[in-house]
Amino acid sequence: MYKAVIHTFSKESEYPVCSTYEIDHEEELTFEILKRNIEKIHGSSEMKWSSFKENSIVEKMLENLDDDLNLFMEVTKDLSYMIHKNIFENREALTSCDIAFVLFEMDELMYFACIKFNYKDLLVRKLEETRDGSIAMITKSNDLYLSPKSKTEEGFLVHLKFMDIALLDKTYTVKGEKQSFFGDLVLGLSSAMSEKEKLKAFNQVNKRVQEKFIGEDIQQKAHIKKAIADTIVEEGTIEIDKVLDRAFEDDQEVKGIYKEAFKKAKLEKAEIKVGEIMARKFDRQKIITGNGIEISIPVDYYKDTDKIEIISNSDGTITIVVKNIEEYKSV
């Protein structure tokens, strides 16, 4: 890391408390924590790729920094006053915090990072010295508390040459409106959907179309899930076009309905990154019967009649036959 500094923002004070000096590089723990948080911002499924809107003051500040890296402290202080103005004016909705500003190099290119550490209320031991000795008591403290597994909730990384922004933001209710702290209140950004938001929108579209056009066709639902699972295995992402080609090779009408629905959700060309845990949810199709029986079946088994058979009965009911069970256990 090239440079780093931490400034303090109390919502009870009208102005931020800005550090006079940068953090010394010998402070290995501080730099390790900052490095870890930068990695968390960039790797988060909630991160959104964003860009500055036209005539952005902050973009101009960072362009000046890119031209002269010695402006680092000046830029962080100017940005801190902009940030603190929002915190102080909206103190009923926002929290006090510390914010770390970091200038770092990656792949021989310079980046500017901003990491927001919100204060938390914790009960702590307070030791009070008296003339006759000391008294230990429990009191409430509102301050910065971090643990090795603390979640990184807010921050952004800016590629100084091209001004691409990796944004990890949090939404607050400010003056009756839902607004994100950095994207709306401070920086004024245009943002794409995060991977988490894209996956949520994908699942919503899939559920909506299935309810309307597929109904309770268990095998068709499993076939769609298998198409998703196979695409994740092969591509590492959910590629909408490839999922639809796999799932609806013989049903162009439903494929067209899906395409139109994804287009309306702005997902028609999306490639959605899916984590390992979430990917496993597409490996199985769950069935819940009217009398409460639950069956979870790997999607690969639905077309293998040696393992499972679903029989439609003349009275409208179905019979599910699980075959060739060699081992089983009760859980």
Side-chain angles (χ1 to χ4, degrees):
M1 289 188 186
Y2 192 74
K3 296 172 180 284
V5 69
I6 297 175
H7 300 318
T8 298
F9 303 79
S10 170
K11 66 180 185 179
E12 307 304 328
S13 302
E14 193 172 350
Y15 302 106
V17 177
C18 294
S19 298
T20 307
Y21 304 106
E22 297 170 19
I23 300 169
D24 193 297
H25 281 82
E26 292 184 2
E27 297 293 333
E28 293 182 5
L29 176 60
T30 302
F31 276 96
E32 178 58 33
I33 290 170
L34 297 180
K35 179 176 178 290
R36 194 183 307 151
N37 277 272
I38 287 170
E39 291 170 351
K40 286 180 179 179
I41 291 172
H42 191 265
S44 173
S45 65
E46 297 178 38
M47 183 272 286
K48 304 178 182 183
W49 290 109
S50 306
S51 59
F52 290 110
K53 293 180 181 177
E54 195 173 351
N55 301 319
S56 167
I57 296 172
V58 177
E59 183 178 22
K60 183 61 179 174
M61 290 164 57
L62 295 180
E63 286 174 350
N64 293 337
L65 176 61
D66 187 39
D67 292 336
D68 183 359
L69 299 181
N70 291 319
L71 293 175
F72 175 72
M73 287 296 287
E74 180 183 331
V75 167
T76 67
K77 289 177 181 178
D78 289 345
L79 187 52
S80 292
Y81 276 87
M82 289 178 60
I83 291 170
H84 192 79
K85 182 175 184 290
N86 281 284
I87 291 175
F88 184 70
E89 290 180 354
N90 302 297
R91 54 190 176 276
E92 291 184 4
L94 303 177
T95 61
S96 298
C97 62
D98 287 353
I99 295 181
F101 299 93
V102 185
L103 194 61
F104 68 99
E105 191 175 19
M106 184 169 62
D107 299 329
E108 299 183 353
L109 295 168
M110 294 306 299
Y111 289 79
F112 179 82
C114 174
I115 309 161
K116 184 167 177 268
F117 299 102
N118 293 323
Y119 288 4
K120 294 178 175 61
D121 287 326
L122 285 181
L123 298 176
V124 298
R125 187 261 301 141
K126 177 183 177 183
L127 193 63
E128 190 174 288
E129 298 292 337
T130 69
R131 186 175 57 185
D132 301 319
S134 59
I135 304 172
M137 62 193 78
I138 296 173
T139 186
K140 183 163 48 171
S141 174
N142 179 258
D143 211 330
L144 174 61
Y145 297 99
L146 296 176
S147 72
K149 294 185 178 181
S150 291
K151 182 182 178 182
T152 307
E153 295 182 310
E154 298 173 85
F156 61 87
L157 316 175
V158 182
H159 185 303
L160 289 179
K161 184 174 179 61
F162 299 111
M163 292 295 156
D164 297 326
I165 305 165
L167 173 68
L168 183 61
D169 221 348
K170 189 174 178 180
T171 300
Y172 298 86
T173 302
V174 177
K175 296 174 183 174
E177 291 184 25
K178 294 281 187 182
Q179 298 190 69
S180 60
F181 182 75
F182 285 117
D184 294 329
L185 293 174
V186 177
L187 303 176
L189 301 177
S190 299
S191 300
M193 284 193 286
S194 67
E195 297 302 320
K196 186 175 181 179
E197 288 172 331
K198 284 192 281 188
L199 182 58
K200 182 180 179 181
F202 173 85
N203 286 332
Q204 288 173 338
V205 169
N206 190 29
K207 182 180 178 183
R208 207 162 50 239
V209 174
Q210 285 191 15
E211 287 176 348
K212 191 168 182 180
F213 297 98
I214 295 173
E216 295 304 322
D217 187 330
I218 298 169
Q219 293 198 7
Q220 178 72 324
K221 284 185 174 182
H223 184 59
I224 294 168
K225 245 183 186 178
K226 187 177 186 313
I228 298 168
D230 289 348
T231 305
I232 293 172
V233 169
E234 289 187 10
E235 309 296 335
T237 61
I238 298 175
E239 291 189 30
I240 303 294
D241 283 341
K242 291 186 178 181
V243 169
L244 296 182
D245 288 342
R246 286 177 186 273
F248 303 109
E249 185 178 359
D250 300 321
D251 194 340
Q252 294 301 310
E253 183 181 355
V254 177
K255 180 180 179 180
I257 292 168
Y258 261 99
K259 274 198 166 185
E260 186 61 30
F262 282 128
K263 185 177 180 180
K264 287 180 180 177
K266 299 180 180 179
L267 290 172
E268 68 269 30
K269 297 295 181 183
E271 295 183 14
I272 307 168
K273 293 179 183 177
V274 182
E276 185 179 342
I277 294 174
M278 189 58 67
R280 287 202 292 267
K281 294 187 176 181
F282 295 106
D283 289 341
R284 308 181 79 84
Q285 178 67 41
K286 191 174 183 180
I287 301 169
I288 304 176
T289 69
N291 55 5
I293 297 172
E294 295 187 15
I295 308 170
S296 180
I297 305 171
V299 291
D300 287 334
Y301 289 3
Y302 273 87
K303 288 193 174 182
D304 188 344
T305 54
D306 289 334
K307 290 186 171 69
I308 187 169
E309 189 173 1
I310 300 174
I311 304 165
S312 297
N313 301 317
S314 59
D315 60 359
T317 62
I318 62 168
T319 299
I320 300 174
V321 182
V322 182
K323 302 178 179 179
N324 300 319
I325 300 172
E326 294 182 359
E327 296 181 22
Y328 69 92
K329 61 181 179 180
S330 177
V331 296

